[in-house]
Amino acid sequence: MNELITDYKLRITNKKYILLFASLLFTLLVLFIVDLVIGPVVIPAKEIITILFHKSSQNIAWINIINEFRLPKAITAIIAGAALAVSGLQMQTLFRNPLAGPFILGISSGAALGVSILILGGSLFSISAILAENTYAIIIAGCIGASAILLIMFLVSLRINNMMTVLILGMMLSSMINALVSFLQYFSSNTALKSYTIWTMGSLAGLDNAQIPILACITIIGFVIAVLFSHPLNILLLGEKYASSMGVNIKWTRIGIMISTSLLAGSITAFCGPLGFIGMSIPHVARKLMNTADHRILVPACILCGSIMMLFCDILASLPIYNQSLPINSVTSLIGAPIVIWIVLKPQKAER
Amino acid sequence: MTEKNSILSLKNVSIGYKQNQDENILLKNLSLEIENGKLICIIGRNGIGKSTLIKTISGMHKPINGNIFIDGIDVHLAPAKILASKISMVYTDKVDAENLSVYDLIAMGRYPYLSWLGILSNNDEGIVNKAISLSGIEKLKNRNITTLSDGERQKAMIARAIVQDTSIILLDEPTSHLDISGRLDVFITLKKLCQQENKTILLSTHQLDCALQFADEIWLISSDQEFISGHPKDAIITHAIGTEFNSNHLNFDAESGVFRYHYQI
């Protein structure tokens, strides 16, 4: 186990790696189909293929279910899983902390503040209840909240050199925002409270066919930045002191990674609500699976593993054994937290 | 014109820390010319400014005044990648990253020369393999760095600095965690680099015995913030080491270059 495959060129041409990536892709495809099959109404896989490729089916209702509901949900799951996993990977390397995740900079708290002001603040700030029910309004409120926090963290990290300090500031800011959200919850009506609670449980089903291209575009920009910074991220594994002695522009790398994470995790939280533990746990799965620290391998691996994990969670959440589908955030946490526990408990090779 | 082949020059440099109006100057008006292919050891007590001097020369820390030139380039004005092709660094800090192989760690030294995706050319691979054999760690090549001992890890970090292909290597207390044979290995490798590859090596250390045996030049920063430089055998250096470190319990023997301990329990 101590022998690692060295060098990027050898890795991308290595049979084991090609096989691994191929089997991940295959798993993704299978789970994608299963996700379309599973639901309150089970639609046979064969029918799904004909609906997807020939746009016809023996049951007209099934076409609607697939096109209007399950397909957007499955695509959202793929995008969300990939985006959260990549941003988690970036944060873990940037902060050199295995327990960092995409929300460490306060992104989800910021989005929660925006959404809670919209939903809960209705009575306080006389925002019309109609607006609070509108999905676009919720997405925009989430975006504004997340961007506001990110802007603060961004300005802070430009002035403060020590990333540990930035980390602590992010956590403290999140706590303060959560306190503000609690105030809003305390003063709000029962119905508003219920709809806010439902937002915090996350949902992959909230997006319609018009919103998915928007989300896809934002995340693709995030992925491109992640790929561009994957080589400097490798060097950052040695710490910022070594990285800057090797000519890595620490400031630009930090800015690039933070922009990428904001686009990825920020957009997902705004569109789908908070989705816990995927971003924290998947990078570890990818590292274990690929047995490398090379981000040029880990970024695509996280994209695949994250999508697979999110599809898997969505399938679990929408099994037809319940009356209605389970809240996705609880499922991702139930699946993701044990992975994090495994990371903490696994024997430390470095210690002798 | 009798200009020597100097690779590093310090012009009227004062080092220290500036915080708002407070200035804490550690060394004042230092002017030096350093020739190619020398092994220079910086010695002095803890907190006297050895690391600050190294950081300032490396361009990571701004001097209070003065300029530092490497190959005629001002280190505090040079773009990061240009500077990285002139100076490489080895720190005391233990580097730990999961699933990182020794080869990949060493190959990272090529960063200043690679395109954004960082794919090594055959030439780059040749340089990496040469550095691996220079530091005698062929057997460790495919090992995970978390499985290395401190000594092996420091050799890998030095190989990474060699790969960076710079004329100057700066090392900040590279031997501080190492046992006696590890220390010796590091000093032998560094000496080899000076003699065979004509590199200029500047390191801070508390291992006076090694420093006095291997260095071509000693820089001593004394407790009264004086900078004294010279060959390890120079009377001026041996005298300065004596005055700097001698106490009731410690006596530096200039003849043999070792310390004698006096104590009673």
Side-chain angles (χ1 to χ4, degrees), chain A residues 25 34 40 43 50 61 92 162 164 183 185 193 202 206 218 225 233 242 248 263 272 275 316 344 350:
Chain A
L25 256 175
V34 174
I43 303 171
T50 45
Q92 286 175 3
N162 188 342
M164 201 58 190
F183 277 137
Q185 282 176 311
L193 200 56
I218 299 172
I225 300 174
L233 264 182
Y242 271 118
V248 175
L263 290 174
C272 307
L275 299 169
L316 282 186
V344 175

Side-chain angles (χ1 to χ4, degrees), chain B residues 5-9 36 68-75 85-86 166-168:
Chain B
N5 188 15
S6 88
I7 181 80
L8 171 70
S9 66
N36 247 337
I68 296 154
F69 297 95
I70 289 179
D71 269 352
I73 297 171
D74 188 326
V75 298
S85 67
K86 302 284 177 197
T166 57
S167 35
I168 300 179

Side-chain angles (χ1 to χ4, degrees), chain A residues 1-9 11-12 96 98 227-232 234-235 237-239 241-249 253 284 287-288 290-294 296 346 349-352, chain B residues 60 80-81 84 87-91 93 95-101 103-105 108-109 111-112 114-122 125 141-144 146-150 153-154 157 160 164:
Chain A
M1 264 313 277
N2 283 341
E3 297 273 313
L4 299 173
I5 296 167
T6 55
D7 188 37
Y8 186 57
K9 254 194 302 190
R11 248 177 246 129
I12 49 176
R96 299 222 290 150
V227 170
L228 284 177
F229 281 94
S230 57
H231 189 219
N234 282 350
I235 315 290
L237 286 173
L238 305 189
K241 250 166 55 178
Y242 271 118
S244 65
S245 85
M246 279 185 260
V248 175
N249 190 325
T253 308
H284 293 281
R287 269 189 216 104
K288 197 88 195 159
M290 296 294 159
N291 202 16
T292 180
D294 190 338
R296 292 165 295 180
K346 98 184 153 181
K349 275 179 282 175
E351 280 169 27
R352 264 181 302 265
Chain B
M60 303 288 148
K81 279 210 176 181
I87 315 178
S88 51
M89 304 287 304
V90 176
Y91 296 102
D93 315 35
V95 164
D96 238 339
E98 229 185 316
N99 291 349
L100 183 62
S101 74
Y103 184 94
D104 282 343
L105 170 84
M108 282 179 182
Y111 183 81
L114 298 178
S115 65
W116 67 271
L117 195 55
I119 292 177
L120 298 177
S121 68
N122 290 339
E125 279 169 9
K141 210 165 131 175
N142 293 336
R143 283 263 297 275
N144 191 327
T146 52
T147 65
L148 300 183
S149 73
D150 288 344
R153 199 177 306 219
Q154 204 58 301
M157 293 316 289
R160 184 209 51 84
Q164 212 172 319

Side-chain angles (χ1 to χ4, degrees), chain A residues 88-147:
Chain A
L89 175 72
Q90 288 178 319
M91 289 296 105
Q92 286 175 3
T93 304
L94 187 65
F95 289 106
R96 299 222 290 150
N97 187 335
L99 291 181
F103 304 131
I104 199 117
L105 295 172
I107 292 172
S108 64
S109 311
L113 182 66
V115 172
S116 64
I117 288 175
L118 179 74
I119 300 178
L120 305 176
S123 49
L124 263 72
F125 308 109
S126 59
I127 298 168
S128 80
I130 301 155
L131 200 61
E133 300 270 302
N134 186 316
T135 50
Y136 273 106
I138 291 177
I139 290 169
I140 290 167
C143 275
I144 293 172
S147 334

Side-chain angles (χ1 to χ4, degrees), chain A residues 67-273:
Chain A
N67 283 340
E68 297 303 317
F69 186 69
R70 289 193 197 168
L71 195 58
K73 189 173 64 124
I75 293 172
T76 310
I78 289 175
I79 297 174
L84 292 175
V86 170
S87 55
L89 175 72
Q90 288 178 319
M91 289 296 105
Q92 286 175 3
T93 304
L94 187 65
F95 289 106
R96 299 222 290 150
N97 187 335
L99 291 181
F103 304 131
I104 199 117
L105 295 172
I107 292 172
S108 64
S109 311
L113 182 66
V115 172
S116 64
I117 288 175
L118 179 74
I119 300 178
L120 305 176
S123 49
L124 263 72
F125 308 109
S126 59
I127 298 168
S128 80
I130 301 155
L131 200 61
E133 300 270 302
N134 186 316
T135 50
Y136 273 106
I138 291 177
I139 290 169
I140 290 167
C143 275
I144 293 172
S147 334
I149 296 307
L150 277 164
L151 193 68
I152 295 173
M153 289 308 294
F154 198 67
L155 295 175
V156 163
S157 72
L158 285 184
R159 296 209 52 144
I160 293 175
N161 264 327
N162 188 342
M163 278 321 250
M164 201 58 190
T165 315
V166 176
L167 189 77
I168 293 167
L169 286 175
M171 288 166 73
M172 291 305 111
L173 197 61
S174 303
S175 310
M176 280 158 64
I177 291 168
N178 291 342
L180 283 179
V181 173
S182 300
F183 277 137
L184 283 170
Q185 282 176 311
Y186 184 74
F187 289 113
S188 60
S189 70
N190 281 345
T191 42
L193 200 56
K194 168 114 199 211
S195 52
Y196 175 71
T197 310
I198 285 173
W199 179 82
T200 64
M201 289 175 175
S203 168
L204 298 169
L207 275 76
D208 58 38
N209 283 321
Q211 291 162 336
I212 283 178
I214 304 172
L215 182 64
C217 282
I218 299 172
T219 47
I220 283 169
I221 298 170
F223 288 137
V224 169
I225 300 174
V227 170
L228 284 177
F229 281 94
S230 57
H231 189 219
L233 264 182
N234 282 350
I235 315 290
L236 267 183
L237 286 173
L238 305 189
E240 293 193 350
K241 250 166 55 178
Y242 271 118
S244 65
S245 85
M246 279 185 260
V248 175
N249 190 325
I250 299 290
K251 204 168 209 171
W252 278 108
T253 308
R254 253 192 222 169
I255 291 174
I257 290 169
M258 282 179 74
I259 289 176
S260 170
T261 292
S262 320
L263 290 174
L264 294 171
S267 63
I268 298 302
T269 312
F271 280 76
C272 307

